[in-house]
């Protein structure tokens, strides 16, 4: 069993490492709460199962989720002892469609470039950035936007230091540097490449939507001339490039087609389809990315599609999933979703989605330590309800839910993970949190007493629950202990 008692006052936002107990319950660094955990997980594997009874003509094909199962659990059915249940991969049902077999998606980490455009965060030091890049590579990012070296001498210096870290540490990251479609922004990138003799890429951008052109008094012919000139120069000097179509989601198809054709003609590494102001919906992303994909395919090109989305409408993750479904090769964003206005797509959420679909080679146990370090380095507080990492992400005080989690934990870790969650906490190094408060039931009260090594008899549990229901929030561990001492004193 891995379920802790109740959070301590002022506990950490994020779960940390934890270990199986010996004797008394151990303390999980996430909340400072007693926790007992099942044995070490075994092999993992993704399973896709088709639901019988549906045909292509009668209904859409329905798939079981891709579950990375710790163990092949075979447990007696509670209603029919002696009959063996299927493992959890057989009994979890979903209406979601799986990603096609062979789907390959890479992650571009733009946290320390675009993410730092957020208004209310601290800019990390260059050594803090270096450590964050090391951790990002460990998670499984394969591209990183390192900086905008032409923007200031300090930015060029940081870019040089970070490029040396990527080279000297042998990080499996392709470094990209941001710049406008002007020669003075590209030349610092060449100096970095020539100094280190390392592969670097130029990620140049230009705004293309009619509204931006109207505001800036730009002519479309001038924009196309700048794009062409930039691509010709980069091709001449042998610098790989990614062309970022800023505000692509508000650029008409005829104009977008001309830009895609230029990217194909000059053999761009990728074309970044940018939803710069988070305007898109998933259906719109399907059309947009599908349109670009068809243009590239029709021309027999291998230019990659990079999806770069923002979260202004709260659709960052949904739009990234739609982009992957429509054929995007790379998804960019920022961890913790930091960035300008409402932020970028939260990369940890994209990574977890891909991981649960069996796509990519990600080490998700490194996500939470990275997110905690990023939060500290940027002074960006992690919201309590943030998926994966928020203190409440795997917590419940609700009576019926807690009772189900406790029953599931008796069956096994996988059942505990999924009975009231779609994210496997154990695979993140996290635990299910059960507390007691005004929405709790007897299961909560009995559990927190037992795990706190207090009398958990029915009378004591009923008294604790009655007290908890008079509170305005869950009870912290010190409050439970204080209540118990008072209760015990009254009974003596």
């Amino acid at each position: 069993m891995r379920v802790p008692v109740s959070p301590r006052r002022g506990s950490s936002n994020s779960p940390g490492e934890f270990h199986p107990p010996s004797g008394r319950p151990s303390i999980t660094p996430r909340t400072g709460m007693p926790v007992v955990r099942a044995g070490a997980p075994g092999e993992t594997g993704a399973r896709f199962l088709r639901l019988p009874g549906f045909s292509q003509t009668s209904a859409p094909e329905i798939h079981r989720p891709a579950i990375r199962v710790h163990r092949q659990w075979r447990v007696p059915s509670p209603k029919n002892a002696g009959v063996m249940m299927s493992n959890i991969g057989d009994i979890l049902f979903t209406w979601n469609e799986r990603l096609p077999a062979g789907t390959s998606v890479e992650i571009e980490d733009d946290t320390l470039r675009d993410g730092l455009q957020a208004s209310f965060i601290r800019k990390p030091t260059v050594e803090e950035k270096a450590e964050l890049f090391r951790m990002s590579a460990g998670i499984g990012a394969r591209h990183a936007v390192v900086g905008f070296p032409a923007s200031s001498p300090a930015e060029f210096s940081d870019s040089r230091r970070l490029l040396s870290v990527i080279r000297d540490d042998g990080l499996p990251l392709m470094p990209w540097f941001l710049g406008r479609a002007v020669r003075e922004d590209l030349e610092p990138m060449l100096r970095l490449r020539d100094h280190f003799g390392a592969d670097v890429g130029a990620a140049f951008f230009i705004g293309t939507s009619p509204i931006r052109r109207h505001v800036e008094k730009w002519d479309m012919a001038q924009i196309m001339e700048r794009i062409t000139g930039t691509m010709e120069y980069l091709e001449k000097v042998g610098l790989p490039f990614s062309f970022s179509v800023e505000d692509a989601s508000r650029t008409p198809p005829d104009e977008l087609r001309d830009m895609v054709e230029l990217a194909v003609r000059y053999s761009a590494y990728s074309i970044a389809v940018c939803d710069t102001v988070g305007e898109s919906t998933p259906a719109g992303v399907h059309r947009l990315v599908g349109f670009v994909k068809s243009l590239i395919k029709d021309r027999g090109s291998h230019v990659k599609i990079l999806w770069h989305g923002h979260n202004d409408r709260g659709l960052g993750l949904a739009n990234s999933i739609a982009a992957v479904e429509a054929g995007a090769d790379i998804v960019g964003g920022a961890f913790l979703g930091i960035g300008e206005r409402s932020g970028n797509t939260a990369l940890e959420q994209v990574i977890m989605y891909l991981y649960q679909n069996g796509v990519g080679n990600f080490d998700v146990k490194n996500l939470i330590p990275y997110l905690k370090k990023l939060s500290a380095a940027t002074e960006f507080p992690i919201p309590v309800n943030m998926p994966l990492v928020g203190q409440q992400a795997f917590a419940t005080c609700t009576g019926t839910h807690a009772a189900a989690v406790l029953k599931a934990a008796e069956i096994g870790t996988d059942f505990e993970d999924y009975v009231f969650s779609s994210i496997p906490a154990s695979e993140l190094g996290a635990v299910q949190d059960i507390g007691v408060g005004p929405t709790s039931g007897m299961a909560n009260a009995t559990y927190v007493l037992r795990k706190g090594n207090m009398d958990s008899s029915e009378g004591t549990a009923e008294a604790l629950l009655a007290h908890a229901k008079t509170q305005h929030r869950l009870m912290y561990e010190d409050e439970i202990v204080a209540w118990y001492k008072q209760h015990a004193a009254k009974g003596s």
Side-chain angles (χ1 to χ4, degrees), residues 50 126 169 203 221 379 390 415 429 443:
R50 299 173 72 172
V126 68
D169 289 14
E379 298 179 358
F415 290 85

Side-chain angles (χ1 to χ4, degrees), residues 112-387:
L112 301 179
R113 217 298 308 162
D114 201 12
L116 296 185
Q117 290 185 185
S119 299
F120 302 106
I121 63 174
R122 169 184 177 267
K123 180 182 177 183
T125 67
V126 68
E127 294 308 318
E128 287 172 330
K129 288 181 179 180
E131 182 58 25
L132 288 166
F133 273 132
R134 293 184 184 102
M135 297 180 75
S136 175
I139 291 167
R142 290 298 171 257
H143 302 265
V145 185
V146 177
F148 193 158
S151 63
S152 71
E155 187 75 0
F156 182 86
S157 176
D158 280 8
S159 296
R160 184 171 56 192
R161 168 60 181 148
L162 295 171
L163 186 57
S164 72
V165 169
I166 292 171
R167 183 199 62 180
D168 297 344
D169 289 14
L171 301 183
L173 289 172
M174 173 63 181
W176 296 90
F177 293 101
L178 191 72
R180 298 165 298 172
V182 293
R183 184 76 60 90
E184 56 263 34
D185 280 10
L186 306 177
E187 289 174 346
M189 304 177 198
L190 293 174
R191 296 204 302 272
L192 289 167
R193 181 195 67 178
D194 295 343
H195 177 76
F196 286 99
D199 289 333
V200 303
F204 79 90
F205 66 93
I206 190 166
T208 60
S209 62
I211 185 172
R212 180 69 184 280
R213 300 199 309 263
H214 179 80
V215 169
E216 302 283 1
K217 296 181 172 58
W218 291 341
D219 180 81
M220 191 63 198
Q222 293 174 319
I223 288 177
M224 294 300 292
E225 184 178 342
R226 285 177 60 187
I227 295 170
T228 303
T230 300
M231 291 182 178
E232 286 178 344
Y233 175 73
L234 292 170
E235 183 183 52
K236 178 181 176 181
V237 298
L239 194 62
F241 67 89
S242 175
F243 169 39
S244 294
V245 186
E246 189 176 75
D247 219 4
S249 55
R250 298 193 293 183
T251 299
D254 289 345
E255 296 168 352
L256 187 57
R257 179 185 291 109
D258 292 341
M259 288 178 261
V260 173
E261 289 177 347
L262 282 177
V264 169
R265 183 189 310 167
Y266 289 99
S267 301
Y269 178 86
S270 64
I271 182 166
V273 181
C274 301
D275 186 26
T276 304
V277 297
E279 185 269 348
S280 290
T281 65
V285 174
H286 266 286
R287 286 192 289 271
L288 173 58
V289 174
F291 174 74
V292 175
K293 190 79 172 180
S294 66
L295 291 175
I296 293 172
K297 183 178 180 181
D298 289 348
R299 284 148 184 79
S301 174
H302 298 289
V303 174
K304 296 179 182 292
I305 296 176
L306 189 163
W307 172 257
H308 178 90
H310 284 254
N311 202 40
D312 296 69
R313 290 183 173 180
L315 294 172
L317 175 62
N319 286 341
S320 293
I321 292 172
V324 170
E325 291 172 343
D329 305 288
I330 307 168
V331 174
F335 287 102
L336 288 179
I338 62 174
E340 199 170 9
R341 303 181 314 277
S342 299
N344 288 271
T345 300
L347 281 183
E348 69 275 8
Q349 297 173 25
V350 177
I351 287 171
M352 198 66 197
Y353 165 77
L354 295 173
Y355 173 82
Q356 289 187 276
N357 272 268
V359 175
N361 185 24
F362 301 107
D363 187 349
V364 297
K365 270 218 167 46
N366 284 330
L367 279 173
I368 289 172
Y370 172 92
L371 296 170
K372 292 172 66 176
K373 185 172 286 290
L374 177 63
S375 173
T378 59
E379 298 179 358
F380 178 83
I382 297 174
V384 68
N385 64 338
M386 192 166 198

Side-chain angles (χ1 to χ4, degrees), residues 81-131:
V83 176
M84 306 305 286
M85 286 172 56
S86 301
N87 65 59
I88 194 168
D90 292 328
I91 62 176
L92 275 179
F93 174 80
T94 180
W95 287 91
N96 300 328
E97 293 186 3
R98 71 184 186 221
L99 292 173
T103 297
S104 177
V105 182
E106 294 179 324
I107 293 295
E108 179 180 84
D109 182 2
D110 210 349
T111 308
L112 301 179
R113 217 298 308 162
D114 201 12
L116 296 185
Q117 290 185 185
S119 299
F120 302 106
I121 63 174
R122 169 184 177 267
K123 180 182 177 183
T125 67
V126 68
E127 294 308 318
E128 287 172 330
K129 288 181 179 180
E131 182 58 25

